[in-house]
């Protein structure tokens, strides 16, 4: 009985324990990282000497520390700091404190007091300087805490009397970065370069200016830079500092003089109209004029770095008086910049001295004028001809700085531009290519203010023989916007350009463009030369020139561009000139303008083009573009054939609109491509494809698969070929891409067997939806009733259903979703384009080379509206046997002649095995892109969701590809077998 009772009690107890275990919640394990501070403490305790501790600290500095561990690590480091006697270890710990204060997510206000306490007993000057640098870092991390900043500034003032220059430097730097200009400070130390101010209340600027006269040049430089730092922070520098800054211009050390130049410039911009006295005289001048004269004097400084600094600074002093400006171009002091004493003043002085002429010396009573004693200079004699000195300097950096300064000043003063013209033209003969190029660019900047004389033009045109292609093309660009004075100048320019064309045939397009602008700017000067240029005669017929001659085409481009402004000019044309005009108007329409030719058919006049230009026509074209997009939004009410016809007609209209209005070409092409994607999607979702069994519509499935792939390619073009898009347009592009991927998933489920492949495809698609939602969260209100909006409503169901059910839901949602209307951005859309100039592909002579070796093919192309072409533009070479080589040009091969324009001049090396006969290769430019479901043209959206991108599997991180940028150019090559 007892045994039976025990067994019953044991069974009941077991049931209770089992029930208790079932009801108890499962415990979750939490993995915690080992404490950084504990590990640091243990490792520092293991070190036996200072060398080991220093080595460990160096290794520790390379490891990241979490924000929550920083305070503990700092406590351990400070504890070890007080124990350590070696200066190098304490120096490294002080450096680590500043490094840890920059940790993202950590607020260093909790360690400020501890860091300040370390300064109390520190005897090493180097360690003290490093601790002050750490305090500067801490203060910079706490901009919202003025009490902490004020405390740090007082600490800096306390240590300004240190004997070590490094400590004083750091204190001044701390004052410049953290000092509050309106807050008075207590300064009662009598350090170097300062006076004792017991209990005196002084502001930061006064304290810093005291160290302008420090015995160490490094401290003087630090003081000036600290004052400049105050200015950069928005504090107005006091005018009384101007005299001190001017005295520092004659300092013995170049770093001080260079910083003083910046200080003088800042004060001249703050107080330009203030009046300052001239030393040793009663004269007064404006502060900006005085500063200009003093900085001009520094162009003759002994240090080339100071000369460069002075030259760059002069260019930004646009408020200076004209006579001071003109004095920089003349080495002799102009009369209006020195004050002569009047004859009355001289006679009064002579009378006061009691001396009269005795008559014993010849002309002893003649008026005596000596420049040094009888005149007062308003500008230092060393500043006379400052730009002349700068342009003749031995260092090319100084010459470039002088050219840049001349350009900036001449742009704001037409009279000064005329006076400095000769000096800039002379720089075209400089021995350094960079100086020549910069002087050409400078003259181009001021071309609106000047007119070249014949002698000046002769000097300019001499540069056309330069071997550098960049120099020649820059000069062509200059001639496009330059005014000349006589018809002889036009004749001289044409002659030299034709010589250039003959010597360098690759300059053909650049020379033609130059002559186009030259003719349109000087029609009245070209008119007297027409008969001579076209070799026409009033009585006799002249032979018809060869239209394949680039020189003859150049002459025609000059004449035809002058003709629109000269109604009498077409009367001087011969019959073959009219035929040549019609030919060039078709083949080189960008160089030849439409002309109204009296008595002839208006095939040359192109009235439609004239009537289609102007701001009114652009506005009407924009209205038409918007109406076309609004019209497409009504296709929901049409049946399939009617909606497809409407899309086709709209795409055709938009393409034609882009041809007629170049200003809207990018937007029209963008809209047409977007609608083409919608048309392809509509055709792929036709009724008959989805109502039949898979074996009965294999052909239609192949067509739908090709359409889905084409839509994906078009969406990448929409995203990466067009600039000026906003986040809303990018969301529309990704929405179409998501529809194409849904179509691909449905077709995969219909045509392929295998559950694993289908499951992975479904998981990938669900990731795409989730990524779209996170990336375009702000745009979701504009996507109501769209495909992605319906999917997001069904997202809980999609995440838990089987693959077959998910595909069925996708198919129903995709067929029921309508067209998402495209909204154009407020800014203009531009399409990235590229045109290969060389090779032209017109030559029938093959490029011969030995098989196995290489031959260089010159590539010259223009790029429009491409962002960062150095990374994205590539050259593709396609051989007849199907081999394809992609070459990435060097960054130095890209030039930027203007905004949104680039020029690619490079060489591509070709090689192949021997061929039996010549054949053509294809050369084209590609735009490389790297995209993912998270990429966007909106950098704001990318930055906003950059954290969410970290959780994406690597396989989904990027989709790389290339887009054709230019048309293919065919080049004949002939690899010959090697001779034995």
């Amino acid at each position: 009985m007892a045994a039976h009772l025990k067994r019953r009690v044991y069974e009941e107890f077991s049931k209770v324990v089992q029930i208790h275990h079932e009801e108890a919640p499962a415990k979750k394990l939490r993995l915690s990282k080992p404490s950084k501070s504990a590990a640091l403490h243990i490792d520092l305790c293991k070190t036996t000497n200072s060398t080991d501790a220093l080595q460990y600290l160096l290794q520790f500095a390379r490891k990241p520390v979490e924000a929550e561990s920083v305070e503990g690590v700092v406590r351990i480091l400070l504890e070890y700091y007080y124990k350590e006697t070696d200066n190098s270890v304490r120096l490294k710990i002080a450096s680590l404190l500043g490094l840890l204060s920059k940790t993202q997510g950590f607020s260093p206000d909790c360690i400020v007091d501890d860091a300040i306490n370390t300064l109390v007993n520190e005897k090493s000057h180097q360690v003290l300087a490093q601790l002050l640098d750490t305090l500067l870092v801490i203060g910079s991390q706490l901009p919202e805490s003025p009490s902490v900043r004020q405390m740090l500034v007082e600490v800096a003032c306390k240590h300004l009397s240190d004997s070590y220059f490094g400590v004083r430097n750091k204190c001044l730097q701390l004052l410049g970065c953290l000092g509050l200009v309106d807050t008075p400070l207590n300064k009662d130390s009598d350090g170097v370069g300062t006076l004792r101010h017991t209990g005196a209340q002084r502001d930061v600027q006064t304290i810093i200016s005291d160290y302008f006269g420090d015995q160490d040049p490094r401290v003087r430089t630090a003081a000036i830079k600290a004052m400049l730092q105050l200015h950069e922070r928005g504090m107005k520098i006091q005018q009384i500092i101007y005299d001190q800054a001017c005295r520092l211009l004659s300092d013995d050390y170049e770093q001080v003089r260079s910083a003083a130049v910046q200080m003088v410039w800042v004060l001249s911009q703050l107080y330009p109209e203030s009046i300052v006295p001239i030393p040793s005289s009663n004269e007064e001048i404006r502060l900006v004029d005085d500063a200009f004269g003093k900085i001009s004097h520094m162009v003759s400084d002994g240090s080339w770095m100071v000369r460069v600094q002075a030259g760059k600074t002069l260019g930004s002093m646009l408020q200076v008086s004209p006579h001071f400006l003109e004095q920089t171009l003349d080495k002799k002091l102009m009369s209006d910049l020195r004050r002569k004493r009047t004859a009355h003043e001289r006679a009064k002085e002579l009378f006061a001295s009691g001396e009269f002429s005795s008559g014993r010396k010849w002309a002893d009573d003649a008026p005596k004028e000596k420049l040094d004693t009888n005149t007062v200079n308003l500008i230092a004699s060393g500043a006379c001809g400052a730009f002349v000195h700068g342009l003749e300097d031995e260092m090319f950096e100084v010459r470039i700085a002088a050219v840049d300064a001349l350009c900036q000043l001449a742009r704001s003063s037409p009279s000064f531009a005329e006076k400095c013209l000769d000096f800039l033209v002379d720089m075209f003969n400089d021995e350094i290519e960079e100086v020549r190029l910069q002087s050409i660019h400078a003259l181009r900047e001021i071309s609106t203010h000047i007119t070249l004389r014949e002698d000046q033009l002769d000097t300019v045109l001499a540069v056309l023989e330069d071997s550098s292609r960049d120099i020649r093309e820059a000069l062509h660009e200059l001639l496009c916007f330059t005014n000349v004075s006589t018809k002889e100048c036009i004749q001289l320019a044409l002659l030299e350009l034709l010589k250039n064309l003959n010597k360098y045939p690759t300059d053909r397009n650049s020379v033609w463009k130059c002559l186009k602008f030259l003719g349109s700017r000087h029609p009245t000067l070209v008119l007297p030369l027409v008969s001579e240029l076209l070799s026409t005669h009033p009585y006799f017929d002249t032979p018809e020139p060869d239209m394949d001659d680039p020189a003859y085409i150049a002459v025609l481009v000059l004449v035809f561009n002058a003709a629109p402004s000269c109604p009498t000019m077409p009367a001087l044309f011969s019959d073959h000139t009219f035929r040549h005009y019609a030919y060039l108007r078709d083949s080189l329409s960008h160089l030849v303008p439409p002309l109204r030719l009296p008595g002839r058919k208006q095939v040359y006049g192109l009235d439609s083009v004239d009537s289609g230009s102007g701001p009114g026509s652009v506005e009407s074209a924009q209205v038409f573009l918007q109406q076309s997009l609004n019209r497409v939004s009504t296709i929901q009410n049409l049946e399939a054939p009617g909606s497809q016809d409407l899309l086709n007609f709209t795409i055709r209209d938009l393409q034609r609109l882009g041809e007629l209005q170049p200003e809207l070409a990018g937007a029209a092409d963008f809209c047409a491509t977007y609608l083409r994607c919608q048309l392809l999607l509509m055709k792929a979702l036709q009724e008959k494809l989805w109502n039949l069994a898979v074996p009965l519509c294999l052909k239609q499935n192949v067509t739908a698969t090709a359409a889905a792939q084409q839509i994906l390619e078009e969406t990448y073009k929409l995203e990466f070929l067009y600039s000026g898009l906003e986040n809303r347009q990018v969301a529309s592009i990704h929405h179409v891409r998501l529809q194409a991927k849904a179509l691909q998933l449905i077709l995969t489920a219909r045509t392929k067997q295998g559950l694993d492949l289908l499951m992975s495809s479904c998981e990938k698609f669900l990731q795409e939806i989730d990524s779209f939602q996170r990336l375009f969260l702000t745009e979701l209100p504009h996507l109501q009733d769209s495909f992605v909006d319906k999917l997001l409503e069904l997202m809980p169901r999609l995440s838990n259903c089987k693959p077959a059910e998910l595909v069925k839901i996708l198919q129903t949602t995709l067929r029921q979703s309508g067209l998402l209307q495209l909204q154009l951005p407020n800014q203009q859309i531009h399409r990235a384009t590229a045109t290969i100039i060389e090779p032209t592909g017109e030559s029938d002579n093959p490029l011969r080379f030995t098989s196995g070796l290489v031959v260089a093919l010159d590539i010259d192309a223009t790029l429009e509206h491409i962002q960062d072409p150095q990374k994205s533009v590539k050259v593709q070479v396609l051989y007849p046997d199907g081999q394809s080589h992609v070459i990435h040009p060097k960054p130095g091969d890209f030039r930027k002649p203007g905004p949104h324009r680039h020029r690619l001049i490079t060489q591509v090396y070709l090689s192949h095995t021997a061929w039996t006969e010549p054949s053509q290769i294809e050369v084209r430019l590609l735009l490389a892109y790297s995209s993912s479901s998270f990429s966007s043209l909106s950098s704001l959206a990318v930055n906003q969701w950059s954290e969410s991108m970290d959780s994406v599997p690597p396989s989904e991180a990027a989709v790389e590809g290339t887009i054709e940028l230019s048309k293919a150019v065919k080049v004949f090559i002939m690899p010959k077998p090697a001779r034995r």
Side-chain angles (χ1 to χ4, degrees):
M1 185 70 183
H4 178 69
L5 184 61
K6 284 182 180 180
R7 187 166 56 251
R8 289 290 302 274
V9 170
Y10 178 76
E11 289 175 357
E12 292 294 332
F13 179 75
S14 300
K15 288 181 181 179
V16 171
V17 172
Q18 186 177 359
I19 292 172
H20 175 73
H21 279 296
E22 288 176 355
E23 292 177 351
K27 292 184 178 180
K28 296 182 179 180
L29 295 177
R30 184 171 63 88
L31 298 177
S32 61
K33 297 181 180 179
S35 170
K36 285 272 184 182
S37 55
L40 176 65
H41 178 71
I42 294 171
D43 290 331
L44 283 176
C45 291
K46 290 180 181 178
T47 57
T48 56
N49 52 43
S50 300
T51 305
D52 294 342
L54 185 60
Q55 288 294 329
Y56 174 75
L57 291 173
L58 289 171
Q59 295 174 5
F60 182 80
R62 302 188 188 101
K63 302 174 183 178
V65 179
E66 297 80 11
E68 58 270 14
S69 305
V70 170
E71 187 175 356
V73 170
V74 169
R75 303 292 176 204
I76 298 298
L77 288 174
L78 287 172
E79 182 183 345
Y80 194 80
Y81 173 88
Y82 289 114
K83 295 178 182 177
E84 182 60 50
T85 57
D86 189 85
N87 288 342
S88 58
V89 177
R90 294 206 312 280
L91 183 68
K92 185 59 186 175
I93 291 175
S95 173
L96 278 174
L97 293 179
L99 190 64
L100 290 169
S101 300
K102 298 179 184 178
T103 304
Q104 191 73 24
F106 172 70
S107 179
D109 53 353
C110 57
I111 63 171
V112 174
D113 294 332
D114 297 315
I116 293 176
N117 291 336
T118 57
L119 299 170
V120 177
N121 298 319
E122 184 56 61
K123 303 299 181 184
S124 170
H125 296 296
Q126 288 85 355
V127 178
L128 197 58
Q130 185 59 55
L131 288 171
L132 287 168
D133 187 68
T134 298
L135 291 178
L136 174 61
V137 173
I138 293 174
S140 302
Q141 299 293 318
L142 299 171
E144 305 299 328
S145 179
S147 59
V148 172
R149 295 164 74 93
Q150 182 68 17
M151 182 168 54
L152 294 178
V153 167
E154 291 176 357
V155 169
C157 292
K158 181 179 178 181
H159 289 85
L160 268 174
S161 58
D162 196 277
S163 60
Y164 180 58
F165 79 93
V167 175
R168 301 203 297 278
N169 279 0
K170 291 298 179 183
C171 289
L172 290 168
Q173 188 177 353
L174 201 149
L175 286 174
C177 294
L178 304 180
L180 304 175
V181 72
D182 297 326
T183 305
L185 302 171
N186 290 325
K187 179 160 177 29
D188 52 0
S189 59
D190 54 347
V192 179
T194 62
L195 300 173
R196 180 180 294 275
H197 297 271
T198 305
Q201 299 260 317
R202 311 179 64 218
D203 62 77
V204 175
Q205 290 190 34
T206 309
I207 295 173
I208 293 176
S209 61
D210 284 346
Y211 287 83
F212 283 179
D214 193 272
Q215 62 182 359
D216 195 299
R218 291 164 291 192
V219 177
R220 297 198 293 272
T221 305
I224 301 174
K225 290 183 176 179
M227 194 70 77
L228 292 172
Q229 185 68 31
L230 288 177
H231 169 70
E232 291 177 5
R233 291 172 52 208
M235 301 180 185
K236 192 170 184 178
I237 308 300
Q238 300 166 5
Q239 187 181 345
I240 58 174
I241 294 174
Y242 179 71
D243 290 335
Q244 294 174 282
C246 290
R247 286 195 294 271
L248 290 172
L249 291 174
S250 56
D251 198 275
D252 292 338
Y253 292 86
E254 65 178 75
Q255 292 89 351
V256 179
R257 297 198 300 274
S258 179
V261 167
Q262 297 180 49
M263 190 74 250
V264 171
W265 176 82
V266 166
L267 290 166
S268 73
Q269 303 303 303
L270 292 175
Y271 307 98
E273 300 300 329
S274 297
I275 303 300
V276 295
I278 297 177
S280 67
S281 75
N282 296 326
E283 296 293 322
E284 294 179 334
I285 59 173
R286 297 162 65 226
L287 189 146
V288 67
D289 293 336
D290 187 58
F292 185 81
K294 287 179 166 57
I295 295 177
S296 296
H297 182 70
M298 302 306 293
V299 176
S300 304
D301 193 85
S303 167
W304 70 270
M305 296 180 66
V306 177
R307 297 200 299 271
V308 169
Q309 179 70 38
K312 290 179 177 178
T313 306
L314 286 177
S316 56
M317 302 183 72
L318 304 179
Q319 297 171 301
V320 69
S321 302
H323 49 279
F324 280 87
L325 202 57
E326 294 164 7
Q327 179 61 70
T328 58
L329 299 176
D330 192 348
K331 290 184 179 180
K332 293 182 181 179
L333 189 64
M334 297 178 182
S335 59
D336 58 351
L337 286 181
R338 65 173 185 254
R339 179 185 174 275
K340 297 182 180 180
R341 291 186 300 172
T342 63
H344 177 73
E345 290 174 335
R346 293 196 302 270
K348 183 179 180 181
E349 182 183 352
L350 187 63
F351 179 79
S353 65
E355 296 180 4
F356 294 92
S357 173
S358 63
R360 294 181 180 179
K361 276 188 174 183
W362 175 256
D364 61 349
D365 59 346
K368 299 176 181 179
E369 283 190 26
K370 293 183 180 180
L371 187 63
D372 296 332
T373 57
N374 296 337
T375 64
V376 176
N377 294 347
L378 304 184
I379 186 172
S381 58
C384 298
F387 283 126
V388 180
H389 291 298
L391 295 175
E392 294 174 352
D393 199 275
E394 61 179 348
M395 305 297 292
F396 80 92
E397 294 91 347
V398 180
R399 300 201 295 275
I400 289 177
V403 168
D404 288 341
L406 269 179
C407 175
Q408 293 179 49
L409 292 170
R411 275 188 304 188
S412 60
S413 174
S415 61
F416 184 68
E418 294 177 3
K419 290 181 172 61
C420 71
L421 177 58
D422 285 324
F423 296 95
L424 284 175
V425 170
D426 286 342
M427 297 307 293
F428 285 18
N429 298 319
D430 196 273
E431 60 183 358
I432 303 296
E433 178 181 335
E434 190 176 349
V435 179
R436 297 198 301 272
L437 192 60
Q438 195 62 35
S439 60
I440 293 173
H441 289 321
L443 199 58
R444 159 73 181 86
E445 292 287 334
I446 64 173
S447 59
T448 54
H449 301 314
I450 59 173
T451 300
L452 289 179
R453 302 189 308 270
E454 190 171 353
D455 59 313
Q456 294 169 334
L457 183 64
D458 197 16
T459 305
V460 169
L461 293 173
V463 185
L464 287 174
E465 299 193 5
D466 199 296
S467 59
S468 169
R469 184 170 190 160
D470 292 337
I471 294 286
R472 296 196 307 273
E473 291 189 352
L475 194 66
H476 295 157
E477 189 80 13
L478 168 64
L479 290 175
C480 288
F481 300 96
T482 301
N483 298 318
V484 296
S485 52
T486 63
K487 66 183 180 68
E488 285 76 16
C489 292
I490 293 289
Q491 205 164 10
L492 177 63
L494 177 62
L495 183 62
E496 292 299 326
L497 286 169
L498 293 180
K499 287 181 181 178
N500 173 204
L501 189 59
N502 184 46
K503 187 174 182 180
Y504 301 103
T506 55
D507 290 356
R508 181 179 63 180
N509 289 282
S510 184
V511 169
W512 287 349
K513 177 188 172 186
C514 173
L515 287 169
K516 170 190 173 181
F517 285 94
L518 205 61
S520 61
R521 291 179 73 89
H522 307 90
T524 56
L525 299 181
V526 175
L527 180 60
L529 302 172
V530 170
S531 298
E532 182 181 352
L533 295 177
L534 298 180
S535 302
T536 57
H537 194 275
Y539 307 118
F540 303 107
D541 284 339
T542 53
E544 182 176 346
D546 183 11
M547 276 303 295
D548 292 333
D549 184 9
Y552 176 62
I553 294 177
V555 173
L556 289 180
V557 168
L558 174 71
V559 172
F560 290 151
N561 279 280
S565 302
C566 296
T568 59
M569 189 180 291
L572 303 174
F573 295 170
S574 58
D575 289 339
H576 62 259
T577 306
F578 291 110
R579 295 197 304 272
H580 294 168
Y581 169 77
Y583 170 74
L584 290 179
R585 181 63 193 152
D586 288 337
S587 58
L588 298 173
S589 58
H590 63 289
L591 294 174
V592 179
L595 297 179
R596 296 183 180 276
L597 303 178
R600 293 183 176 268
K601 293 181 179 180
Q602 286 301 325
V603 292
Y604 310 130
L606 294 182
D607 292 336
S608 61
V609 175
D610 291 341
S611 62
S613 59
S617 62
V618 174
E619 292 176 3
S620 61
Q622 288 176 334
V623 172
F624 176 78
L625 178 61
Q626 190 60 50
Q627 288 175 348
S628 300
L629 293 178
N630 294 337
R631 190 187 315 120
V632 169
S633 63
T634 63
I635 66 172
Q636 313 292 345
N637 307 324
L638 302 176
E639 295 183 357
S643 58
Q644 292 182 19
D645 290 341
L646 178 59
L647 280 176
N648 276 317
F649 292 144
T650 307
I651 292 170
R652 183 199 62 186
D653 292 344
L654 292 175
Q655 290 173 342
R656 181 61 179 155
L657 177 66
E659 295 171 2
L660 293 176
Q661 289 291 347
E663 295 87 352
L664 295 177
D669 196 26
F670 177 80
C671 296
T673 307
Y674 179 81
L675 294 180
R676 193 178 302 113
C677 292
Q678 298 289 353
L679 181 61
L680 288 170
L681 188 63
M682 190 178 295
K683 290 180 178 179
L685 295 174
Q686 286 179 354
E687 193 77 23
K688 61 181 181 181
L689 173 65
W690 308 100
N691 292 337
L692 297 175
V694 175
L696 299 178
C697 56
L698 291 178
K699 186 176 180 181
Q700 287 83 352
N701 275 321
V702 172
T703 306
T705 304
Q709 184 60 36
Q710 187 177 351
I711 293 171
L712 285 178
E713 293 174 359
E714 294 291 336
T715 58
Y716 288 122
K717 289 181 182 179
L718 286 171
E719 184 173 0
F720 294 102
L721 270 187
Y722 296 88
S723 58
L725 303 181
E726 297 173 353
N727 213 32
R728 189 166 180 180
Q729 288 77 47
V730 180
S732 300
I733 295 169
H734 280 251
H735 181 266
V736 177
R737 188 178 302 163
L738 200 62
Q739 288 178 303
K741 291 183 177 180
L743 179 60
Q744 283 185 331
L745 177 58
I746 296 169
L747 293 170
T748 301
R750 284 172 62 89
T751 57
K752 294 185 179 179
Q753 300 296 328
L755 187 60
D756 293 338
L757 177 62
L758 185 58
M759 287 186 66
S760 64
S761 300
C762 291
E763 291 175 2
K764 190 183 297 184
F765 185 76
L766 291 176
Q767 288 179 357
E768 298 276 355
I769 300 173
D770 184 56
S771 304
F772 185 96
Q773 181 184 13
R774 286 186 282 116
L775 186 59
F776 299 109
L777 186 64
T778 57
E779 302 300 327
L780 290 180
H782 304 294
L783 302 176
Q784 291 182 358
D785 297 329
S786 64
F787 172 67
V788 73
D789 186 47
K790 295 177 181 178
L791 287 184
L792 291 175
E793 291 178 1
L794 298 171
M795 196 62 182
R797 181 181 172 189
L798 294 175
S799 303
N800 300 318
C801 67
K802 295 181 180 179
E805 186 181 355
L806 185 144
V807 170
K808 188 175 180 180
I809 296 173
L810 278 183
Q811 180 176 332
T812 305
T813 309
L814 188 60
R815 294 184 60 193
Q816 291 177 352
S817 60
L819 171 67
L820 179 63
Q821 187 175 2
L822 182 65
Q823 295 290 333
L824 290 177
N826 295 325
Q827 55 189 343
Q828 190 174 359
I829 298 178
H830 296 284
R831 189 182 194 275
T833 57
T835 305
I836 297 178
I837 303 172
E838 294 291 339
T840 59
E842 299 172 355
S843 176
D844 293 332
N845 295 324
L847 196 61
R848 301 180 184 273
F849 61 97
T850 304
S851 63
L853 301 180
V854 296
V855 63
L857 178 66
D858 292 324
I859 302 289
D860 182 5
T862 57
L863 312 174
E864 302 276 349
H865 302 289
I866 298 178
Q867 299 175 355
D868 200 7
Q870 291 86 350
K871 296 181 180 178
S872 57
V873 174
K874 299 184 179 181
V875 182
Q876 183 191 45
V877 180
L878 187 61
Y879 291 93
D881 59 355
Q883 292 187 37
S884 176
H885 293 170
V886 177
I887 300 98
H888 199 159
K890 296 178 292 186
D893 294 338
F894 293 91
R895 296 155 176 81
K896 191 173 183 180
H900 309 297
R901 290 177 53 210
H902 289 84
R903 184 80 177 273
L904 173 61
I905 301 176
T906 187
Q907 283 188 330
V908 172
Y909 295 102
L910 309 176
S911 182
H912 211 278
T913 55
W915 296 353
T916 56
E917 59 183 20
S919 188
Q920 290 179 332
I921 62 169
E922 292 185 358
V923 181
R924 61 170 58 88
L925 296 182
L926 304 177
L927 181 71
Y929 66 86
S930 177
S931 174
S932 69
S933 55
F934 323 100
S935 69
S936 166
L937 294 183
S938 172
S939 58
L940 179 65
V942 170
N943 294 333
Q944 185 178 1
W945 299 113
S946 57
E947 296 180 1
S948 61
M949 292 169 62
D950 299 336
S951 60
V952 180
S955 60
E956 292 297 309
V959 177
E960 296 184 352
T962 55
I963 303 170
E964 288 189 13
L965 262 183
S966 68
K967 295 180 180 178
V969 175
K970 296 182 178 180
V971 181
F972 266 107
I973 65 169
M974 176 58 187
K976 301 180 296 183
R979 295 182 180 179
R980 298 187 180 278

